[in-house]
Amino acid sequence: MRGAVFECAVRTTCSLTTDEVGRVTSSAPLSVSSVDRLQMARDAFHVPVLESEVLSYFVTVGDGVVVDATLGGGGHAEALLRAIPGVRLLGIDRDPEAREASRRRLEPYGSRVRVIDATFADLRDVREREADFIGAAPVRGILMDLGVSSHQLDDGRRGFSLRVDAPLDMRMDPSTGIDAASVIAQIDEESLRALLARHGEGRFARAIAASIVTRRPRTTFELIDAVERVVPPAHRRRGHVATRTFQALRVLVNDEEFQLREGLAAALDVLDLDGVLVVIAYHSGEDRVVKDVLAEAASGGCRCPVELGCVCGAVHRVSVVKASAMMASPDEVARNPRSRSARLRVARKIVP
Ligand SMILES: C[S@@+](CC[C@H](N)C(=O)[O-])C[C@H]1O[C@@H](n2cnc3c(N)ncnc32)[C@H](O)[C@@H]1O
């Protein structure tokens, strides 16, 4: 993990598995120590980022359905259900472990919650498929908290972690798609170089791509070794030397670039009038896509001079609630280092 505070929280709770979260949840009445254990287990799964900022955009939406399109450990979802008694929540995650953890955590909210297996690129289909849950209720808000959860990053078996030697899998949904080791076994050097360059590897993208293609690593530590061999210590940035390579491969394995563009477009279609779309991104490429897609939906492609106002008939589908991205306070970053890179953007749908 990315920093001392969370490292410490994880280490003190690492013996609690998802199973134990469920067991602690169902033991009633809870003693103080089991409440503490439950909170610690939840925090070990994932500490929700920018929680009060997210809530501030949802509390005004009114009764209806909100979609948490990236449930993770269910932290944001639970906060939404607690803060807004008039909403029901449709929760989506492509990771079966996240769905299981969230189902248990959100059990006390009964029929107000439905947790389903889908990706956010499928949001239009989901709206039709889950018509019995949504009914005639308006979709008031959609949350997309992108990337991977702390649980996915820290679980040594999944191949996301730089700290544990494991087969390179990296699939958020391990039941589908191609794992990272197979991608690495097949990818050509130029495609890999371009991918690494897009993820900020800059001048070392070519050397790292060549090293990976020569060695075709199958485990996390073999991949780290392939990167370390070609990036001299004097040129290493803050953080782990292989972080960007891991991130680039994870994005490729999970088709995250397609998922993000499709997911944003689908979310804007699925939202009802006055509904809010809240998106949290964790790297600059991802945030740029969010910013551009929302700006395009706000302008409708209109290029009329500001002095004239819009005379071209473009449809301005959303209003962007804040021009610049919102970031975590220093206090939150100190409590949860993962929040350091978070960028939150919000848009409100202004046409049906
Ligand atoms: C940052 S975590 C969300 C954490 C959550 N907000 C919480 O409070 O615990 C991101 C989650 O989104 C899921 N995810 C990522 N991309 C997805 C996609 N395209 N469709 C559905 N789920 C996705 C991941 O499996 C992961 O569990």
Side-chain angles (χ1 to χ4, degrees), residues 34-47:
S34 51
V35 169
D36 286 349
R37 270 167 65 82
L38 173 58
Q39 188 56 49
M40 286 156 71
R42 287 170 171 176
D43 287 355
F45 199 99
H46 186 86
V47 180

Side-chain angles (χ1 to χ4, degrees), residues 42 45-49 51 68-77 92-95 98-99 102 105 118-121 143 145-150 152 158 172-173 254-256 259-260 280 282 338:
R42 287 170 171 176
F45 199 99
H46 186 86
V47 180
V49 165
E51 184 179 304
D68 183 341
T70 50
L71 263 180
H76 282 121
I92 296 175
D93 206 293
R94 68 200 302 195
D95 181 333
R99 291 195 301 277
S102 292
R105 179 171 188 164
T119 68
F120 48 66
L143 172 64
D145 180 15
L146 303 171
V148 279
S149 67
S150 305
Q152 288 164 326
R158 312 268 317 245
M172 294 183 201
D173 176 358
N254 293 289
D255 206 5
E256 289 180 46
Q259 280 287 324
L260 180 55
I280 307 175
Y282 292 88
R338 183 184 153 82

Side-chain angles (χ1 to χ4, degrees), residues 175-195:
S175 71
T176 182
I178 304 172
D179 65 17
S182 308
V183 167
I184 290 171
Q186 291 166 32
I187 197 165
D188 67 85
E189 190 174 322
E190 176 48 27
S191 306
L192 184 55
R193 185 207 61 74
L195 176 76

Side-chain angles (χ1 to χ4, degrees), residues 64-103:
V65 170
V66 296
V67 180
D68 183 341
T70 50
L71 263 180
H76 282 121
E78 183 171 25
L80 286 164
L81 287 158
R82 214 185 309 117
I84 326 172
V87 300
R88 286 178 295 120
L89 183 131
L90 183 63
I92 296 175
D93 206 293
R94 68 200 302 195
D95 181 333
E97 290 183 9
R99 291 195 301 277
E100 182 57 20
S102 292
R103 251 186 214 115

Side-chain angles (χ1 to χ4, degrees), residues 10 38 92 108 144 153 156 222 231 242 256 273 285 296 337 344:
V10 170
L38 173 58
I92 296 175
M144 293 165 69
L153 279 175
E222 286 173 10
V231 183
E256 289 180 46
L273 181 63
E296 186 65 23
L344 182 150

